[in-house]
Amino acid sequence: MTTLFAPAEARARRAKATGRPDLWKATPLTKIVLAVTIIVSAFPIYWMVVIASRSNREATDIPPPFLPGGNLGQNIQRVLTNEDAHYLAGLTNSVIIASTVTISVVLISTFAGFAFARLRFKGGRILLLLVLVTMMVPLQQMGMVPLYRMMVSLEWIGTLKAVILPYLLNGFGVFLMTQYTEQAVPNELVEAARVDGASTLRIWWNVILPAVRPGMAVLGINTFMLTWNDFLWPLIVLTPDNPTVQVAINSLNAKYGTDYVLIFSGTALSVLPLIIVFVVFGRQIIGGLMEGAVKA
Amino acid sequence: MSLHVDSGPSTRAPVPPSRRHGRPGSGRTFLSWLDMKAAPYFLISPYYLLFLLFGIFPLGFTLWYSLYDYDLAGTVKWTGLGNYSALLADSAFWNAVVNTLGMFVIATVPQILLALLLANALNKRIRGRLFVRLGVLLPLVTSVVAVAVVFTQLYGRDWGLFNWILGSVGVDPVDWKAERLPSWLAISTMIDWRWTGYNAIIFLAAMQTVPKDLYEAAAIDGASRRRQFWQITIPMLRPTMIFVVLNSTIGGLTLFAEPTTFYGGNVHGGSNSQFQTVSMFIVEQGFREFDYGYAAGAAWLLFIMILIGSLINFLLIRRIGGNK
């Protein structure tokens, strides 16, 4: 980043010296566009907190309230003790599901990425191509009916297994880790370890794993967020008394349509863990996203 | 990123001598031969096992199911392509197709234009770069259900903020859920709010790979900023544009959570199904009516829609970039 930045500064200075317009200068329009975007981005989340901390009477005031009130704790209490939503169970289930899926997907993808990027074997290219093709298929919609029937005959409906297992199939993860391994681990390093007599598993552990850790982090954060937020499949295979957090919010929404304060408190509480992750790992998330975009 | 690469592995790479399987040149044992030949397959096997179970198997079985007729009583009858011909004659299915395509267009076109504009602004020299980028990406963190809950309230007929704003400039309140176009608009804004910033960051990454000299040369030739944007940035962004549009096509045509939450968690999509999408139609047929065959047939038709939509968009973008 620093190397990119220095010439830009130099260019700016040169542009000033030669009297040519500086192409990368932020115009007032730029600043307005960005400011408006940030306000629009943040507003619904702010609004969530405003309504979640008010009473239902205030929430339906005209004009609406624009500042947070003092009822947040009490409202969250109501969400947690609500008998239809099973919110706490939902929160726990979401943590279990998202963590299990994240760890598995990252491991499976790192294994496969190593094989595709740095090992030579018959059919490797075709198998990798297969991964790319399946990334285009909307598996959730396409596989819904048979997967549901499969879970019924296994008697897994209502269990977390039924949610977790289909999520472990993640072509994007394999693709990302293949790309990352290719870039992060020089072939010579693998060859050298091989000459030293290291087994494939040992190479994975001692050479690959330390090098691809940043890629694993990006994939992990990504997978966690997607799994945490997914709605359609848990809605189908789980029952309302053992939900994920999204399904719990849906139950609140379906049953207490006008009790905005209750629904908003539940929603705010479900977004909170992700906002924390986002603030802590923001730099890595953006870095990973931008790097992935250029390579794809 | 490259820093990690240089420091990490080189210090750890050498394997402790005591653990070596065999010295180089001392001849490969059977075990090491097995390790060379079988290990790659062993490493990729977890993925392909899952792929078989939760990818190939459901896809094939969806096709199989779509050839049978299921009814509420649980009887199953072979019907061949009967489900498909019934679907193509079913006005409820076509209604869902029209809704899906309508919302896809209303949401995607402004979203891509806004994302380009935003990426162009982000590409300027700005202070607090990380903060601004995080701000732009913030909506991505919130779940679709959360977004839909908040926007549904904002679009409320009686106490919603948007109607209050409209009212204060003298416009009559809109019943966003009751009619087709307003409901499409409301749902489209939910999609755009969530995805515009994400796409802008993707475009920004691509913009930063465009050589800056190109712009400087164009500036010397007297090309305006606007012309530089359309004649340098846009053509150079073509591969990324294809990626973004294909992504939006798949996401848009499989739309489910926003319209479902907008109607209080019901997949019927409004009193007259005015915003029921194909995904919601599939869930309604399969899991409310328990007509698995019909739902499976609709899923295959949706897949075909996605393939056609992707192809059209792909060709369109190739043309746009090619003409300039």
Side-chain angles (χ1 to χ4, degrees), chain A:
Chain A
M1 274 302 154
T2 45
T3 47
L4 268 179
F5 203 60
E9 291 284 270
R11 272 173 224 268
R13 246 179 285 124
R14 202 170 59 207
K16 206 173 256 171
T18 52
R20 252 191 274 129
D22 173 10
L23 293 174
W24 309 103
K25 192 170 181 266
T27 59
L29 183 68
T30 310
K31 288 175 186 162
I32 293 170
V33 167
L34 293 177
V36 169
T37 306
I38 290 176
I39 292 169
V40 171
S41 289
F43 179 75
I45 296 172
Y46 174 73
W47 187 249
M48 209 184 293
V49 178
V50 170
I51 300 294
S53 60
R54 293 275 177 169
S55 67
N56 266 317
R57 206 178 151 63
E58 292 166 326
T60 52
D61 260 353
I62 293 182
F66 282 101
L67 291 172
N71 296 351
L72 188 61
Q74 180 194 331
N75 292 336
I76 285 181
Q77 193 71 30
R78 270 182 67 211
V79 172
L80 296 182
T81 54
N82 185 288
E83 288 186 352
D84 294 307
H86 302 277
Y87 194 93
L88 264 183
L91 214 53
T92 320
N93 286 343
S94 282
V95 170
I96 296 172
I97 292 170
S99 316
T100 315
V101 170
T102 302
I103 293 170
S104 318
V105 164
V106 169
L107 276 181
I108 290 169
S109 306
T110 312
F111 275 134
F114 168 39
F116 283 129
R118 285 294 168 252
L119 299 177
R120 253 169 241 118
F121 57 102
K122 257 195 191 136
R125 294 194 77 85
I126 291 170
L127 286 169
L128 182 61
L129 198 69
L130 200 64
V131 176
L132 296 183
V133 171
T134 51
M135 280 167 64
M136 294 281 298
V137 183
L139 277 175
Q140 279 216 330
Q141 277 76 11
M142 291 297 295
M144 204 154 50
V145 171
L147 278 178
Y148 174 79
R149 303 276 291 174
M150 178 169 148
M151 298 306 168
V152 170
S153 46
L154 290 170
E155 296 183 359
W156 283 5
I157 293 295
T159 67
L160 300 189
K161 285 179 284 205
V163 183
I164 291 172
L165 280 165
Y167 278 155
L168 300 183
L169 178 64
N170 188 329
F172 171 75
V174 173
F175 174 67
L176 186 83
M177 289 319 293
T178 303
Q179 295 279 344
Y180 200 89
T181 311
E182 239 160 38
Q183 174 225 310
V185 188
N187 216 358
E188 296 79 52
L189 214 57
V190 178
E191 295 295 323
R194 188 72 81 187
V195 170
D196 279 348
S199 67
T200 307
L201 208 61
R202 180 156 280 279
I203 294 174
W204 182 76
W205 180 255
N206 282 348
V207 180
I208 305 291
L209 210 54
V212 300
R213 228 178 265 157
M216 292 167 82
V218 169
L219 177 62
I221 295 165
N222 221 316
T223 309
F224 191 90
M225 292 207 295
L226 279 179
T227 315
W228 182 271
N229 286 337
D230 205 46
F231 175 55
L232 175 54
W233 181 241
L235 183 69
I236 289 172
V237 286
L238 291 182
T239 47
D241 59 330
N242 188 30
T244 63
V245 74
Q246 311 299 342
V247 175
I249 294 173
N250 188 59
S251 304
L252 284 177
N253 195 22
K255 202 132 195 179
Y256 305 92
T258 53
D259 193 344
Y260 294 123
V261 164
L262 182 73
I263 300 168
F264 270 56
S265 305
T267 310
L269 201 57
S270 79
V271 171
L272 188 71
L274 291 191
I275 301 236
I276 294 172
V277 170
F278 186 65
V279 170
V280 174
F281 296 105
R283 192 185 290 272
Q284 284 88 331
I285 295 174
I286 288 181
L289 198 61
M290 290 181 68
E291 224 175 281
V294 178
K295 278 194 212 104

Side-chain angles (χ1 to χ4, degrees), chain B residues 44-59:
Chain B
I44 62 169
S45 60
Y47 176 79
Y48 285 93
L49 212 62
L50 290 164
F51 180 64
L52 205 68
L53 276 174
F54 301 110
I56 301 270
F57 161 78
L59 278 185

Side-chain angles (χ1 to χ4, degrees), chain B residues 224-289:
Chain B
S224 68
R225 272 162 184 253
R226 188 179 300 252
R227 238 186 108 179
Q228 289 171 28
F229 181 72
W230 288 108
Q231 306 222 332
I232 301 176
T233 312
I234 296 292
M236 295 291 279
L237 242 52
R238 202 162 42 159
T240 310
M241 193 86 91
I242 289 173
F243 169 79
V244 165
V245 170
L246 287 188
N247 238 348
S248 309
T249 308
I250 297 172
L253 296 184
T254 55
L255 186 66
F256 178 81
E258 289 93 341
T260 303
T261 309
F262 194 51
Y263 199 48
N266 188 322
V267 289
H268 197 58
S271 45
N272 295 315
S273 294
Q274 62 269 29
F275 49 89
Q276 186 184 48
T277 63
V278 178
S279 278
M280 293 157 82
F281 179 84
I282 295 172
V283 173
E284 189 174 46
Q285 292 304 320
F287 303 99
R288 301 290 174 268
E289 312 283 332

